[in-house]
Amino acid sequence: MTIRYGVVGAGWISQIAFLPGVDVTGNSKTTALVSGNRDASERLAEFYDIEHTFTYDQYDEMLAADVVDAVYIALPNSMHADYAIRAAKAGKHVIVEKPLAISAAECRAMIEAAEAAGVYLMTAYRLHNEPGTVHALELIRSGAIGDPRVFSSVFSFQAGPDNHRLKASHWGGPLQDIGIYCVNAVRHIFADEPVEVTAVRNQTDDPRFSEVEETFAATMMFPKGRVAQFVASFGAEQLDTYRISGTEGDIAVECAYDFQSPTIVRLTRGAEVIEHVFEKTDQFAGQTAYFSDCITAGVAPEACGEEGLADVEILLALEEAVKTGTAQKIELDQRRRHPDATMVRRFAPTGRRLMV
């Protein structure tokens, strides 16, 4: 069975990653494209053999037609809830780029809409289907480093001045755009939820950061005395890494969040060092294939709406910690599911893509 996707938003991530990835899955196909740029839509549609193109004003028309089974929403954060809820009400499955929405209330409305319609809502955590990430998690679960005690991470890159992630109106900023990767990673590494968070952010004269901070740094306290710290920055050179220190060793993961580089997992126990450089895979193809498998099998995806809601609640608590200068308590339901080997999907990267 082939699941038909409507791609909503033809920006950078759709062009460089999602559209190329869909074509290599074998169980998914892009059959509709929704964009505000008619010329770009037509060129992309011709290149990927996409039968239908629509403007944003025609979104409901697309949903009413029998041209897609699911939608992939890659719009600015502030638009996620509206487009996801409309799709769910029309009976379409929904995968939404992270963060799921800009408030807990919006996330819950999205979850409720999907449940009421009997469709699946998935938060686009592609790393849950990536072999290196899952390998690191399985090492921890096997006791390879004893009890994991400390998590530290840095995720940074130089943001372009026209990036919509620099707009406060879209709930942009390094915390929301890349800090969320660190938050999501440690929740599954510790297999637990944070109970208290603190944070700081900087202010610079760089005109790129007139609406959002350049750098956000956070400390998260977990049960059993575990501690996580991360730094997310739009003003430093590309770096994406995390390290977990346990009672009997440590695990370092490099190229931990980037979808264009192979993941490196290094296990250290005393003098023993075991490094595994994973073959580069198409992470968007893996994510899409997994979601299509879930739809076909009638099984809810692990990275469900509640998974996206949990991260949004943590981001909001971190923002409040910055604003007030005081630690914020958090109470979240425990996750019953975590990424595992059954969710991994491997596809060779494709060089066939069009950037317009």
Side-chain angles (χ1 to χ4, degrees):
M1 180 178 180
T2 300
I3 302 302
R4 302 169 300 168
Y5 283 84
V7 173
V8 187
W12 181 79
I13 198 66
S14 292
Q15 293 183 31
I16 200 170
F18 189 85
L19 287 168
V22 171
D23 276 356
V24 303
T25 61
N27 68 354
S28 313
K29 169 67 177 170
T30 303
T31 54
L33 184 62
V34 181
S35 171
N37 186 324
R38 174 68 71 178
D39 179 63
S41 288
E42 292 177 351
R43 291 174 63 188
L44 290 165
E46 181 179 4
F47 186 80
Y48 290 107
D49 189 27
I50 301 171
E51 186 175 355
H52 307 279
T53 60
F54 300 87
T55 65
Y56 292 116
D57 290 338
Q58 296 173 312
Y59 183 57
D60 292 319
E61 176 185 332
M62 182 201 75
L63 295 174
D66 183 22
V67 296
V68 301
D69 306 302
V71 297
Y72 166 71
I73 297 176
L75 297 167
N77 300 335
S78 60
M79 302 170 71
H80 288 184
D82 176 37
Y83 280 78
I85 291 170
R86 287 157 68 186
K89 287 182 176 179
K92 310 302 180 184
H93 302 283
V94 186
I95 179 169
V96 184
E97 273 300 339
K98 54 211 163 295
L100 185 61
I102 64 173
S103 71
E106 283 193 351
C107 291
R108 293 189 184 99
M110 295 162 72
I111 294 167
E112 291 169 1
E115 289 177 347
V119 298
Y120 295 135
L121 169 65
M122 178 172 159
T123 313
Y125 289 115
R126 54 183 165 75
L127 293 170
H128 291 204
N129 312 110
E130 191 273 319
T133 299
V134 175
H135 176 70
L137 290 174
E138 294 194 328
L139 283 174
I140 293 166
R141 292 168 190 157
S142 73
I145 61 170
D147 182 34
R149 304 300 300 163
V150 177
F151 169 94
S152 60
S153 183
V154 176
F155 193 1
S156 61
F157 69 89
Q158 290 285 355
D162 298 325
N163 196 318
H164 68 80
R165 295 167 181 84
L166 299 174
K167 300 296 182 182
S169 59
H170 291 315
W171 202 41
L175 172 66
Q176 296 80 357
D177 187 54
I178 54 179
I180 192 171
Y181 285 87
C182 310
V183 169
N184 191 259
V186 72
R187 291 177 51 237
H188 294 289
I189 286 166
F190 286 160
D192 218 334
E193 302 295 346
V195 294
E196 183 177 283
V197 299
T198 57
V200 294
R201 60 185 174 189
N202 70 347
Q203 300 292 331
T204 71
D205 295 330
D206 190 322
R208 290 179 296 171
F209 307 114
S210 60
E211 297 186 29
V212 301
E213 65 275 359
E214 174 193 317
T215 301
F216 196 104
T219 298
M220 305 166 63
M221 302 301 299
F222 283 77
K224 304 177 185 178
R226 292 168 173 162
V227 180
Q229 292 185 312
F230 70 85
V231 176
S233 178
F234 279 163
E237 186 56 37
Q238 170 75 40
L239 179 63
D240 59 309
T241 182
Y242 62 79
R243 194 161 189 169
I244 310 106
S245 180
T247 55
E248 300 174 20
D250 72 80
I251 295 171
V253 182
E254 298 177 11
C255 302
Y257 310 120
D258 178 26
F259 64 87
Q260 300 184 82
S261 303
T263 307
I264 303 170
V265 179
R266 186 179 303 109
L267 169 65
T268 303
R269 290 181 295 198
E272 179 186 32
V273 179
I274 303 172
E275 182 174 280
H276 193 155
V277 180
F278 283 81
E279 185 176 356
K280 184 178 177 182
T281 62
D282 191 314
Q283 296 181 17
F284 282 77
Q287 170 185 258
T288 307
Y290 168 75
F291 190 44
S292 292
D293 284 343
C294 289
I295 293 170
T296 300
V299 177
E302 176 272 333
C304 57
E306 287 81 1
E307 170 77 342
L309 168 61
D311 281 338
V312 167
E313 291 193 304
I314 294 167
L315 298 188
L316 292 169
L318 286 166
E319 282 194 329
E320 189 65 18
V322 159
K323 292 175 184 176
T324 63
T326 59
Q328 299 296 306
K329 300 290 186 181
I330 302 178
E331 292 185 10
L332 296 172
D333 293 335
Q334 291 297 311
R335 291 287 295 165
R336 296 183 179 180
R337 301 173 66 186
H338 299 280
D340 61 42
T342 67
M343 296 168 50
V344 171
R345 301 290 186 275
R346 290 178 171 87
F347 295 94
T350 177
R352 187 177 185 275
R353 57 177 44 83
L354 175 67
M355 302 298 294
V356 298

